[in-house]
Amino acid sequence: QVQLVESGGGLVQNGGSLRLSCVGSGLTFSSYAMGWFRQAPGKEREFVASINWNGATIYYGDSMKGRFTISRDNAKNTVYLQMNSLKPEDTAVYYCAASNRPSRVNDEYRYWGQGTQVTVSS
């Protein structure tokens, strides 16, 4: 059974930083591209970042460029999302997901975690 478990969310002030982690089990983690998405209340799920199996190919959503960094450690079956200069509009539930290739499209992701809440206070 495949499981993706996110952690690291919480409450942070405007301009602060958080690092999210997602640990995968039940899959050959190094064979999958990994992505982060987020969903705010009343809004559609939004692409945040994706990374291919070895970190050579990385994509970011437009509003995250320069502030967020995705990385992975295949030895630990973990993908990370470092978020800096956080803004209130970054408040959302953040999900990690696994796909056969890095993509901005959520339908291309096969496995999903349960999400972790990030709240940025103004």
Side-chain angles (χ1 to χ4, degrees), residues 40-119:
K43 295 188 177 181
E44 292 187 353
R45 191 165 293 186
E46 178 184 20
F47 170 72
V48 174
S50 67
I51 185 169
N52 79 321
W53 72 276
N54 65 355
T57 301
I58 290 175
Y59 302 133
Y60 292 103
D62 289 341
S63 64
M64 298 83 183
K65 290 178 182 177
R67 299 189 300 126
F68 292 8
T69 302
I70 189 171
S71 62
R72 66 189 296 161
D73 184 343
N74 288 337
K76 296 182 178 179
N77 285 4
T78 303
V79 61
Y80 303 98
L81 184 68
Q82 177 67 43
M83 305 186 293
N84 299 327
S85 302
L86 284 162
K87 308 172 183 179
E89 51 264 43
D90 293 317
T91 295
V93 177
Y94 283 71
Y95 300 90
C96 74
S99 174
N100 291 329
R101 61 176 182 170
S103 172
R104 296 177 173 90
V105 180
N106 60 8
D107 287 349
E108 295 195 7
Y109 287 80
R110 182 174 182 181
Y111 302 112
W112 290 83
Q114 294 300 305
T116 185
Q117 176 71 47
V118 171
T119 303

